[in-house]
Structures are given as structure tokens and as C-alpha cells.
Amino acid sequence: MFGMFGSKKKRNDLKLNDLMAQLRPDLSRESLGVGPDFPGVAPNPFLSSDARKRNAELRTGALALGVLVNWREVNSNPRVVLMFDVETADGISFRGIADEGLTITELIRLAPGQTLPVRYRPAVMDHYVALARDADPAHVQQLSDEIASRKRT
């Protein structure tokens, strides 16, 4: 009985992800460079309780550095999906996806290869990250130095 409810939700999630991939092939898992475990981009993160919960958790997540690979504009707010190659303090590397609302000024300053501080959820590791706009510059520099010294050895 209980499995029925869970499996229906799973089917609905799969249908929603398939729908998003059909409507926006540029936001498909393959196009974003993430694996099949990536939950996908929410059509409207404000209406999705999962997306709201995830964003709240990301605001307090662990700090990492992300090298901007590319981005896709989702709407003209402008809401964008940013793709990062992320490196953590623990030496873990992964493709990170940030779903962000940016100002026009922030949007025009984006350039592939930029390194930006991001936050992620180490306990979840689902490819979602968020820009760490609140990060202390000294902490970001310390993290950058740690990562650089690890690459030299």
C-alpha cells in the first residue's frame, strides 16, 4: 500500500523530467553534463517544495570553488542554470548546476573559465550548487590556496 504512493511520485517526477527535457533539450541531463541521478531543473523553483527546501539547505552548505563551464538562460527574469566544474576542500570534483536569478549586470559579467565560490550539500551530492554570495573573501582565498597546493603535489 505504502509503495504505491511512493512509486506514483517517482513516476510523476520522471514524467516531469522527461517533459522538461522535451521542452528544453538544452536543460536535459545530457546537455548539462550530469548523470542519470541528477533530479533535474524545476520548471518553477518557487512552486516546488523540493526546490525551496534544496535552496534553503544550499544557503548553509559547504563552501567550494566552481569554474564556470557554461550557462543556459531559463527565462528573462533572468533565471539561469549555471554549469560549474566544482572542487571541494576535500578534493572531490564534480559537475555542479546552480539555478539562479541574476541581475542583468551579473549576467553580462559571466564568462566561461571564471572561478566563483559556490555552496553544495556534502551529505547529498546531487550536482546542485548555489552561488556563495555571502562567502568571506578571506575564506574563499584560503580554500583556493588549499586546492592549488593539492594540485601542485
Side-chain angles (χ1 to χ4, degrees), residues 29 33 41-42 52 67 122 124:
R29 290 176 177 91
V41 175
R52 286 194 310 271
V67 176
V124 180

Side-chain angles (χ1 to χ4, degrees), residues 16-17 20 27 29 32 34-35 37-43 45 48 50-59 61-62 64 79-84 86 88 94-100 118-131:
L16 181 63
N17 287 330
M20 277 301 286
L27 295 177
R29 290 176 177 91
L32 295 173
V34 295
D37 294 333
F38 179 61
V41 175
S48 165
D50 289 342
R52 286 194 310 271
K53 179 181 179 231
R54 178 185 64 243
N55 291 338
E57 291 173 356
L58 284 169
R59 281 194 288 277
R79 177 180 165 211
V80 295
V81 172
L82 305 163
M83 292 163 280
F84 292 99
V86 178
T88 71
F94 65 95
R95 170 63 50 94
I97 307 296
D99 188 342
E100 299 279 348
V118 297
R119 294 198 182 278
Y120 72 105
R121 301 176 299 171
V124 180
M125 294 303 289
D126 61 358
H127 296 280
Y128 282 112
V129 299
L131 290 177

Side-chain angles (χ1 to χ4, degrees), residues 28-74:
S28 71
R29 290 176 177 91
E30 295 78 24
S31 179
L32 295 173
V34 295
D37 294 333
F38 179 61
V41 175
N44 185 338
F46 298 113
L47 297 178
S48 165
S49 62
D50 289 342
R52 286 194 310 271
K53 179 181 179 231
R54 178 185 64 243
N55 291 338
E57 291 173 356
L58 284 169
R59 281 194 288 277
T60 61
L63 191 63
L65 293 181
V67 176
L68 185 63
V69 175
N70 205 341
W71 67 92
R72 308 271 195 281
E73 199 165 326
V74 178

Side-chain angles (χ1 to χ4, degrees), residues 87 91 141-153:
E87 287 222 33
Q141 186 59 55
Q142 179 185 3
L143 178 60
S144 180
D145 293 345
E146 281 177 38
I147 291 170
S149 71
R150 190 173 41 248
K151 286 183 177 181
R152 283 193 296 267
T153 57

